[in-house]
Amino acid sequence: MVTVATLLLLRHGRTTANADGGLAGRQPVELDETGRAQATAAGERLRGLPLATVVTSPLIRCRQTLELVLPDASPVVEEGLIECGYGSWEGQPLKKLAKDPLWPVVQQHPSAVVFPEGEAMAAMAARAVSAVRSWDARVTAEHGPEALWLACSHGDVIKAIVADALGVHLDLFQRIVADPASVTVIRYTPLRPFLIRLNDTGGDLSGLVPPRPKRRRAARRVDSDAAVGGGAGSTR
């Protein structure tokens, strides 16, 4: 099997908007008490991993999450991982948005959705997938194929990346779940991506560290004058 870098997708912890049932979008909402506890628990699982690189959405909820998860890390901001631009939907209660004629399209045919004054979901998916694939290639080139790296982002962004890895249409991405502070793991091999874990909120992650490749022993040189089929004591 070809050894490749391993991507860990971390969703930010719960925010005040999550708790209140609102659509945060790109607003500067912060983690609530539960979200901070979730991030701290995720940190207990992730801190032992030798992460080569950590990248993050620029939004404060992701940066707060990483401050708790990996306090010694220096995350690199990646604009391609920012939340979908929900436009005029941002900041509104989900109960209200559920009555909007666009809501069933978001749920059943998201590839066709362009949010009012906002971003197309297909555009969000394309730039998020492009960002993680580009970073994965960079990490592999700089740190080797055994490297682990982490990207902190948002629910819909992670779901879109997973849909791409599974080779399913964006219209099916609402079937995927990425809970707050969950970890999803993908490996991009030359042949196809592999989804290693999805929405993991409590499992042991130490098994993600690949074993060091065994050093091959040099083959013993064969004397070209040796008799074929004969040993050293052959009388032939």
Side-chain angles (χ1 to χ4, degrees):
M1 177 179 285
V2 177
T3 304
V4 294
T6 301
L7 164 61
L8 285 72
L9 288 165
L10 172 68
R11 186 184 173 188
H12 61 78
R14 195 179 83 165
T15 66
T16 53
N18 296 142
D20 295 339
L23 183 64
R26 297 181 180 178
Q27 294 184 326
V29 299
E30 302 189 22
L31 301 185
D32 66 3
E33 184 177 347
T34 296
R36 295 179 69 83
Q38 291 171 335
T40 300
E44 293 176 358
R45 299 194 295 138
L46 287 164
R47 282 191 199 115
L49 300 183
L51 298 173
T53 301
V54 178
V55 300
T56 181
S57 158
L59 296 181
I60 190 169
R61 55 191 183 268
C62 286
R63 290 186 283 112
Q64 286 179 332
T65 297
L66 288 176
E67 287 173 1
L68 294 167
V69 173
L70 300 167
D72 297 327
S74 299
V76 179
V77 171
E78 169 53 63
E79 294 289 341
L81 295 177
I82 197 170
E83 177 66 284
C84 185
Y86 298 117
S88 61
W89 274 33
E90 292 186 1
Q92 297 197 47
L94 292 173
K95 288 183 178 181
K96 177 183 177 182
L97 294 174
K99 299 176 183 178
D100 191 297
L102 187 60
W103 182 267
V105 186
V106 173
Q107 302 304 316
Q108 300 172 29
H109 192 24
S111 66
V113 170
V114 180
F115 290 98
E117 303 176 37
E119 185 178 25
M121 293 203 86
M124 174 274 290
R127 48 98 170 157
V129 169
S130 176
V132 295
R133 285 179 176 263
S134 176
W135 271 102
D136 193 74
R138 177 176 172 180
V139 170
T140 300
E142 294 180 359
H143 300 279
E146 292 83 19
L148 304 178
W149 69 283
L150 183 142
C152 185
S153 191
H154 309 270
D156 278 352
V157 175
I158 292 172
K159 288 160 56 179
I161 293 170
V162 170
D164 169 76
L166 291 174
V168 302
H169 199 281
L170 185 62
D171 286 345
L172 301 179
F173 99 132
Q174 297 290 23
R175 303 183 184 192
I176 299 167
V177 176
D179 288 323
S182 65
V183 176
T184 293
V185 182
I186 297 173
R187 289 191 180 119
Y188 291 103
T189 75
L191 184 61
R192 65 174 71 88
F194 287 91
L195 179 63
I196 308 300
R197 297 199 186 187
L198 175 64
N199 197 36
D200 188 329
T201 57
D204 178 18
L205 300 174
S206 61
L208 296 175
V209 180
R212 293 191 177 187
K214 295 181 179 179
R215 298 177 63 181
R216 293 183 178 179
R217 291 187 299 177
R220 189 173 60 184
R221 185 175 179 179
V222 179
D223 188 344
S224 60
D225 293 331
V228 177
S234 173
T235 57
R236 184 177 175 185

